[in-house]
Amino acid sequence: MSASRVLVLNSGSSSVKYQLLDMTDRSRLAVGLVERIGEETSRLKHSPLATGGAARETTGPIADHEAALKAVAGELAKDGLGLDSPELAAIGHRVVHGGQLFTEPTVVDDAVLAEIERLVPVAPLHNPANLTGLRTARALRPDLPQVAVFDTAFHTTMPESAARYAIDVRTADEHRIRRYGFHGTSHAYVSRATAALLGREPEDVNVIVLHLGNGASASAVRGGRCVDTSMGLTPLEGLVMGTRSGDLDPAVIFHLMRVGGMSADEVDTLLNKRSGLIGLCGDNDMREIRRRIDEGDERARLAFDIYIHRLRKYIGAYYAVLGRVDAVAFTAGVGENAAPVREAAVAGLESLGLAVDGGLNAVRSDAARLISPAGSAVAVAVVPTDEELEIADQTYALVGTGNA
Ligand code: ADP
């Protein structure tokens, strides 16, 4: 029997999320999460979906990523799904920053690791953890293909006019400053799933994808290829997010440093961790913000309005970038669940062919669905994202012996 399982690993600085998939039917055999790595109270939660057994939770110190991965392997082995199984075809890793070089999923070797390492200065929060995950998994199964799937890859089709900042070209090139974009795995998956929902081929449709999670980004996808996206050199640019400011006048930063006496690191923390919705109103969970608005809370209302204003600007901008829009797709935690956000984002845009049907928008469902009135010029859709499945698909397409 050919190897048909793929383990997907998403390694953060203190966490590892994982899913084991059977690619013959793309079903999930196990999913889980290790949190608080390096602390006394590390926690491993493992759901053995294949056996239908109850989720298992263990708490206790897990010193580092190597120990975390060994613990995950131990849990999988209990269900007969161990990492030493000949049925494991590959491990697919989420890697946040692939720079300009990595336009496709890539089998990892020493040279690839060195290049991901070289990108650490532009992705200091993410790439080091991703590298640790890659190295650890490689040490555990050196014979197995380890595939890096990059968050930036889908955006490498952006034209220079969208990817370059209007700053001195030599300085930009010296420091590799350009717009890379993130959430690419999600934008790729959702834009294709939106075409499928419309019963059309990705090559034939233009889609604006709004990935609204705690981090948030928009993309303009023409015929299956990204032509613009709202995140830039780092995930800080673009939409108002849970804790990030998104777009602002860069002079705000000099002002805070010169006049406010803040260090570069302090401004970095302010803009990435204490801005966006949480900075505006003290909450970054859209459910809580809606609850406060319903109680008449003015700060929550203003935070919501700023969030929506920015979102609408991007919808308008990407409408102009694409020229013709077939669909606007909402995805991720806010996009999939917050009907008021979807309604407000397109309210009054009938002249652009955009509208939301109140009844359809209010339906709660895990399925991809249309929420625009029948006969609308532009489809408005809710399309649940599935980054793990996309990573597994891309990994398996690259290495799957099942394809032979
Ligand atoms: P991440 O960016 O961390 O992957 P998610 O895509 O899971 O985040 O989105 C998390 C966010 O989704 C939460 O912070 C919250 O604002 C929002 N969210 C989740 N469920 C709901 C809901 N039922 N209604 C409104 N917002 C929700």
Side-chain angles (χ1 to χ4, degrees):
M1 194 165 78
S2 57
S4 61
R5 290 182 194 149
V6 171
L7 178 69
V8 175
L9 285 184
N10 183 349
S11 305
S13 54
S14 66
S15 72
V16 176
K17 292 184 199 144
Y18 63 93
Q19 294 197 357
L20 182 69
L21 291 97
D22 179 350
M23 299 313 289
T24 51
D25 59 1
R26 297 162 91 220
S27 63
R28 269 135 175 116
L29 301 172
V31 305
L33 162 74
V34 188
E35 289 176 298
R36 298 196 290 272
I37 296 171
E39 294 179 31
E40 288 300 307
T41 56
S42 315
R43 188 173 79 114
L44 193 165
K45 188 171 180 200
H46 179 86
S47 300
L49 305 180
T51 63
R56 301 192 286 269
E57 215 173 296
T58 41
T59 313
I62 296 179
D64 52 24
H65 281 71
E66 188 183 344
L69 207 54
K70 283 188 174 152
V72 170
E75 288 299 328
L76 289 167
K78 286 182 193 165
D79 305 315
L81 299 167
L83 294 192
D84 50 359
S85 164
E87 290 184 48
L88 189 61
I91 301 183
H93 298 257
R94 175 182 184 220
V95 179
V96 168
H97 214 311
Q100 276 183 278
L101 194 65
F102 296 116
T103 59
E104 301 280 345
T106 305
V107 176
V108 170
D109 57 18
D110 289 339
V112 170
L113 284 178
E115 186 58 27
I116 297 172
E117 179 101 60
R118 238 163 56 83
L119 289 161
V120 165
V122 283
L125 298 179
H126 297 103
N127 273 29
N130 302 157
L131 271 170
T132 305
L134 272 167
R135 291 198 175 109
T136 307
R138 226 174 151 218
L140 222 58
R141 280 293 306 268
D143 55 315
L144 198 67
Q146 310 280 335
V147 176
V149 177
F150 299 93
D151 260 21
T152 45
F154 184 61
H155 304 304
T156 54
T157 51
M158 281 197 287
E160 285 294 282
S161 53
R164 278 207 178 264
Y165 293 107
I167 62 173
D168 174 69
V169 171
R170 272 169 308 173
T171 307
D173 289 349
E174 185 188 341
H175 298 288
R176 295 199 277 184
I177 293 171
R178 59 189 280 120
R179 309 192 55 254
Y180 294 99
F182 299 89
H183 291 146
T185 310
S186 177
H187 286 284
Y189 177 88
V190 171
S191 56
R192 263 193 287 109
T194 304
L197 181 67
L198 301 181
R200 296 169 69 182
E201 294 302 318
E203 297 74 45
D204 298 332
V205 295
N206 293 349
V207 187
I208 297 173
V209 178
L210 304 171
H211 176 111
L212 311 177
N214 196 28
S217 64
S219 69
V221 183
R222 175 182 289 132
R225 291 162 67 86
C226 178
V227 292
D228 204 353
T229 194
S230 60
M231 285 177 168
L233 173 73
T234 77
L236 184 55
E237 190 179 347
L239 300 173
V240 176
M241 311 183 205
T243 66
R244 298 190 192 116
S245 62
D247 295 336
L248 45 73
D249 181 344
V252 169
I253 297 164
F254 326 138
H255 187 84
L256 287 171
M257 293 176 77
R258 291 183 187 133
V259 181
M262 292 172 76
S263 69
D265 284 345
E266 285 168 344
V267 179
D268 191 330
T269 303
L270 173 79
L271 298 180
N272 274 295
K273 300 232 171 14
R274 294 197 284 119
S275 297
L277 293 171
I278 207 158
L280 288 165
C281 74
D283 273 307
N284 63 334
D285 191 310
M286 193 52 84
R287 285 164 288 201
E288 186 59 17
I289 291 170
R290 290 303 311 174
R291 195 192 57 72
R292 284 173 54 186
I293 291 171
D294 289 343
E295 287 177 353
D297 185 315
E298 286 302 322
R299 271 178 74 208
R301 175 87 246 167
L302 181 60
F304 183 82
D305 289 349
I306 294 169
Y307 182 95
I308 295 295
H309 180 75
R310 184 82 52 83
L311 189 56
R312 289 166 65 86
K313 284 214 294 201
Y314 271 92
I315 294 171
Y318 289 171
Y319 209 116
V321 166
L322 290 170
R324 187 202 84 219
V325 178
D326 298 293
V328 174
F330 287 89
T331 195
V334 176
E336 292 168 28
N337 296 298
V341 168
R342 299 190 296 252
E343 185 189 339
V346 303
L349 299 183
E350 289 81 6
S351 63
L352 296 179
L354 284 165
V356 157
D357 177 285
L360 294 175
N361 192 32
V363 173
R364 298 195 66 81
S365 159
D366 291 337
R369 58 201 185 273
L370 292 175
I371 56 170
S372 41
S376 290
V378 179
V380 181
V382 181
V383 180
T385 192
D386 195 337
E387 288 163 280
E388 289 77 17
L389 183 61
E390 179 69 20
I391 291 172
D393 275 340
Q394 292 193 17
T395 300
Y396 197 58
L398 196 60
V399 306
T401 49
N403 297 342

